[in-house]
């Protein structure tokens, strides 16, 4: 149900909520290339597409609101009888294809299967068939005495979602990311040990372009955590690993990109070495900037920005929740240390956003170096109100507007966020609620 709208410093929001169950937890959020549509996937295998309200002179503030456009079941639970393995229906990633005609196309994936969906509108229906009645039953040919010309009649607008392609049986391990190439003809799907390249028109064949599986699995030291194509160069892609490294590959060099072109990794400070170092250095998300010049990576405690021309160290490092360093032991015990946070750029690559715990999300301005912590919660997000910045205090007495690090709720976490490609509109998924924040409209 669409509850309504609310705000943050310079932000309007819409809160979209449902009765809470495990299958309602949002697992991915993605704007399309124009920002007019916003898609979410959940653990129940459903995809919900929201469409932006058209601007009206009477209610200009409604321009930023997104209403439900289409809902469909993308994936169903399956069972692999050969491996005695249950395959969850949870949607791991959604990626939109650029719009070529009146219809919209998106890719959605669970752990094993990628599907291409077509979302189209229908506001006319054909009537006057010769061989069947209006209700669809076949007519007796002997009763047909005249030839009729079918005509199109207006009908209530109906949005249809139809599966156009199913890309399956190519991954032994769980798919963690998909990315559409800038040639708009191919895409890649990535699991823990392999990356496959697909043609959007061909479902029965893919090409393995990265394979890090060792001959002896006991020698396995790292896994692939995320991968993405360069936004402009169709031959270039990047993938990150659980060891905190990023590899840039060029498909022109060889068919199998096991040898990278560039290697990005920040040497670890020996003074900060601990039992948890390897776990918290694992990269959970990697994103090219819109310009294609920079890379952004998210590990457990930080967001880093890398210049593609400088492999030795990151250009910028932002502390997301450094106050959790003292909590790593308890975060390990409750498995939160393995949470995979995503990160996103704004349209001009000047601000970056990522999630944290207690329904907090963080924004970092790359130009001014200012940062802000905001909270996406139904209690603090009144319609068209201003969201107040939040602060976390460590030890001692907290001020009235601060929250103690010991009071943080680690069950409330923002893993998935998205930013409109051109405007300051963001979508934040907090468990089963979707919050949409917009620049304050005067």
């Amino acid at each position: 149900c669409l509850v309504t709208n609310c705000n943050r410093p310079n932000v309007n929001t819409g809160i979209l909520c449902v009765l809470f169950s495990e299958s309602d937890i949002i697992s991915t959020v993605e704007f399309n290339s124009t920002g007019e549509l916003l898609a979410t996937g959940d653990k129940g295998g459903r995809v919900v597409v929201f469409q932006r309200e058209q601007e009206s002179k009477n209610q200009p503030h409604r321009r930023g609101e997104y209403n439900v456009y289409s809902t469909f079941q993308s994936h169903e639970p399956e069972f692999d009888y050969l491996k005695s393995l249950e395959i969850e229906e949870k949607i791991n990633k959604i990626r939109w294809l650029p719009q070529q005609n009146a219809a919209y196309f998106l890719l959605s994936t669970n752990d094993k299967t990628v599907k291409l969906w077509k979302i189209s509108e229908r506001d006319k229906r054909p009537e006057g068939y010769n061989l069947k009645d209006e209700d669809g039953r076949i007519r007796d040919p002997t009763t047909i005495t005249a030839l009729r010309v079918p005509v199109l009649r207006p009908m209530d607008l109906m949005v249809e979602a139809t599966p156009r392609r199913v890309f399956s049986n190519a991954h032994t391990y769980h798919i963690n990311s998909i990315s559409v190439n800038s040639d708009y003809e191919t895409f890649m799907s990535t699991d823990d040990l392999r990356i496959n390249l697909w043609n959007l028109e061909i479902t029965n064949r893919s090409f393995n372009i990265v394979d890090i599986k060792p001959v002896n699995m006991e020698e396995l030291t790292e896994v692939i955590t995320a991968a993405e194509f360069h936004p402009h160069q169709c031959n270039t892609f990047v993938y990150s690993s659980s060891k905190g490294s990023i590899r840039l590959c060029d498909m022109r060099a060889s068919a199998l990109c096991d040898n990278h072109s560039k290697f990005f990794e920040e040497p670890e400070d020996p003074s900060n070495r601990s039992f948890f170092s390897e776990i918290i250095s694992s990269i959970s998300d990697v994103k090219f900037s819109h310009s294609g010049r920079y890379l952004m990576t998210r590990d457990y405690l930080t967001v880093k920005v890398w210049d593609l021309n400088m492999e030795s160290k990151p250009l910028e490092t932002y502390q997301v929740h450094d106050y959790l360093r003292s909590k790593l032991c308890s975060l390990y015990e409750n498995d939160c240390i393995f949470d995979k946070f995503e990160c996103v750029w704004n349209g001009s690559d000047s601000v970056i956003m990522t999630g944290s715990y207690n329904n907090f999300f963080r924004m970092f301005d790359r130009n001014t170096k200012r940062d802000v912590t905001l909270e996406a919660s139904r209690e603090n997000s009144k319609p068209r109100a201003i969201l107040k910045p939040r602060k976390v205090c460590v030890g001692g007495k907290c001020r009235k507007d601060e929250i103690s690090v010991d009071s943080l709720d680690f069950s409330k976490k923002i893993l998935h966020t998205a930013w409109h490609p051109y405007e300051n509109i963001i979508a934040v998924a907090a468990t089963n609620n979707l919050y949409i924040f917009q620049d304050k409209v005067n």
Side-chain angles (χ1 to χ4, degrees), residues 325-370:
R325 281 190 188 277
S326 61
K327 301 279 182 188
L328 292 179
C329 190
S330 56
L331 289 165
Y332 177 78
E333 289 172 357
N334 64 15
D335 281 349
C336 283
I337 202 168
F338 301 107
D339 286 334
K340 293 177 170 55
F341 292 95
E342 295 174 5
C343 52
V344 288
W345 301 88
N346 73 336
S348 61
D349 299 332
S350 60
V351 182
I352 56 183
M353 175 174 64
T354 190
S356 181
Y357 293 104
N358 207 69
N359 279 357
F360 289 167
F361 60 98
R362 304 267 284 136
M363 286 183 169
F364 303 94
D365 189 310
R366 297 181 59 211
N367 298 323
T368 64
K369 304 303 178 188
R370 291 173 61 189

Side-chain angles (χ1 to χ4, degrees), residues 171-229:
H171 285 277
T172 307
Y173 307 97
H174 291 176
I175 298 172
N176 55 47
S177 56
I178 50 177
S179 179
V180 180
N181 200 347
S182 59
D183 62 10
Y184 306 140
E185 294 180 5
T186 56
F187 74 93
M188 65 179 174
S189 55
T190 308
D191 67 25
D192 293 343
L193 299 180
R194 296 189 179 99
I195 301 176
N196 292 334
L197 182 69
W198 301 82
N199 187 298
L200 283 161
E201 300 294 327
I202 301 170
T203 61
N204 62 355
R205 185 171 70 249
S206 64
F207 297 92
N208 181 226
I209 54 175
V210 172
D211 187 349
I212 66 166
K213 183 180 179 182
V215 176
N216 180 3
M217 283 295 277
E218 291 180 1
E219 298 171 4
L220 182 68
T221 58
E222 63 181 333
V223 294
I224 301 170
T225 55
E228 187 175 69
F229 271 118

Side-chain angles (χ1 to χ4, degrees), residues 72-114:
F72 58 93
Q73 188 72 29
S74 176
H75 288 70
E76 302 280 357
E78 299 175 56
F79 191 81
D80 186 335
Y81 291 96
L82 289 175
K83 298 178 181 176
S84 295
L85 191 70
E86 286 186 20
I87 301 170
E88 283 187 343
E89 66 272 38
K90 173 192 167 193
I91 308 295
N92 291 340
K93 283 287 184 290
I94 289 172
R95 290 290 179 264
W96 290 92
L97 273 62
Q99 191 176 3
Q100 307 286 349
N101 50 39
Y104 302 96
F105 290 87
L106 64 81
L107 290 167
S108 64
T109 184
N110 67 348
D111 287 340
K112 298 291 183 183
T113 305
V114 183

Side-chain angles (χ1 to χ4, degrees), residues 106-131:
L106 64 81
L107 290 167
S108 64
T109 184
N110 67 348
D111 287 340
K112 298 291 183 183
T113 305
V114 183
K115 293 183 180 181
L116 175 66
W117 289 88
K118 177 184 179 182
I119 302 170
S120 55
E121 295 181 356
R122 193 148 62 94
D123 60 359
K124 291 182 175 64
R125 68 165 176 265
E127 289 182 2
Y129 289 105
N130 289 287
L131 299 179

Side-chain angles (χ1 to χ4, degrees), residues 276 301 321-331 394-395 405-406:
F276 306 107
L301 294 177
H321 38 216
D322 200 48
Y323 46 77
L324 293 183
R325 281 190 188 277
S326 61
K327 301 279 182 188
L328 292 179
C329 190
S330 56
L331 289 165
V394 181
V405 67
D406 298 318

